Amino acid sequence: DQQVKQNSPSLSVQEGRISILNCDYTNSMFDYFLWYKKYPAEGPTFLISISSIKDKNEDGRFTVFLNKSAKHLSLHIVPSQPGDSAVYFCAARPTGNQFYFGTGTSLTVIP
Amino acid sequence: GAGVSQSPSNKVTEKGKDVELRCDPISGHTALYWYRQRLGQGLEFLIYFQGNSAPDKSGLPSDRFSAERTGESVSTLTIQRTQQEDSAVYLCASSLAPVITYGYTFGSGTRLTVV
């Protein structure tokens, strides 16, 4: 039972434009959300997080939005760069230690 | 070391054999996690160690899977009598504290192929 869903397996965006990666979750008890970025043959690396008490968190070109009523979060990358091409995972956690991960969205930024 | 180190990076084994995967966490990180990613699926939690507390084994898929950690250092994940459905990338992660604020640091993973 996939509690965190990334329904778009892939996304292509032109360099300089906005990339929007989406994530939906089913468990209303999730209180903390993360986005990870993964390059081939490397482990995922932490990108940005958001707590359920917030609806937006921004870090440079990366912004995460959380819509609790819709159980939806999104990652915006503006402007997109070719080096952003990677697989992006969202992850969510109920109170406790274990994060539930989505299946990932492969982003390709076209120069 | 500077990061989380996993070995081997690739392992091909015959069905029915036992395998042992190793993880060296970042020095000083008290929390250690094992996840796996099967083809086309998200990261699946397996087990969590925090200091000397009893590990959270709730994610282990069967009794063929076990893991150990000595203190706050190396961890090994053992899969006995491997099956083809065990084929996956096994990822180890560590963090400074059990309650994650800044996320885990992952290793590069061990790609296990059971033939």
Side-chain angles (χ1 to χ4, degrees):
Chain A
D1 180 28
Q2 195 74 22
Q3 297 197 47
V4 177
K5 299 178 184 178
Q6 294 176 258
N7 293 317
S8 298
S10 63
L11 175 68
S12 291
V13 171
Q14 206 71 32
E15 180 178 4
R17 298 292 187 100
I18 183 172
S19 296
I20 300 176
L21 299 113
N22 293 305
C23 181
D24 297 290
Y25 60 95
T26 57
N27 189 339
S28 59
M29 298 302 293
F30 287 150
D31 69 348
Y32 210 83
F33 305 87
L34 306 176
W35 282 94
Y36 281 84
K37 175 178 174 179
K38 185 181 183 302
Y39 293 116
E42 295 183 13
T45 55
F46 170 74
L47 194 57
I48 193 169
S49 65
I50 189 166
S51 164
S52 60
I53 62 173
K54 294 187 173 183
D55 55 17
K56 176 182 173 181
N57 189 26
E58 192 171 351
D59 183 4
R61 296 185 297 113
F62 302 90
T63 303
V64 56
F65 295 92
L66 176 63
N67 182 333
K68 285 183 66 180
S69 60
K71 296 192 184 67
H72 177 85
L73 70 157
S74 61
L75 175 68
H76 293 209
I77 307 173
V78 181
S80 302
Q81 299 174 353
D84 296 330
S85 297
V87 177
Y88 290 79
F89 292 95
C90 66
R93 185 199 71 187
T95 51
N97 305 308
Q98 177 191 155
F99 276 91
Y100 294 86
F101 283 79
T103 52
T105 296
S106 178
L107 173 66
T108 302
V109 179
I110 303 163
Chain B
V4 177
S5 177
Q6 291 187 246
S7 60
S9 55
N10 280 285
K11 176 73 177 177
V12 180
T13 189
E14 292 181 353
K15 179 180 170 182
K17 295 283 181 71
D18 297 352
V19 295
E20 191 173 277
L21 312 180
R22 178 187 169 104
C23 173
D24 282 277
I26 292 173
S27 178
H29 279 195
T30 58
L32 185 148
Y33 306 78
W34 283 97
Y35 280 81
R36 74 175 176 182
Q37 185 181 19
R38 291 188 280 188
L39 192 64
Q41 299 188 19
L43 277 70
E44 178 187 357
F45 168 77
L46 296 177
I47 189 168
Y48 159 69
F49 295 91
Q50 171 56 41
N52 294 317
S53 301
D56 176 357
K57 302 179 181 180
S58 60
L60 294 178
S62 78
D63 59 8
R64 296 187 295 105
F65 287 73
S66 62
E68 292 184 350
R69 187 184 188 194
T70 307
E72 295 182 355
S73 60
V74 171
S75 175
T76 54
L77 176 69
T78 302
I79 310 173
Q80 296 178 311
R81 305 180 303 281
T82 52
Q83 304 294 313
Q84 288 185 327
E85 66 261 27
D86 300 335
S87 296
V89 176
Y90 288 81
L91 288 160
C92 175
S94 69
S95 69
L96 271 173
V99 178
I100 304 300
T101 301
Y102 299 106
Y104 315 140
T105 300
F106 279 91
S108 299
T110 294
R111 182 176 296 279
L112 175 67
T113 304
V114 181
V115 297

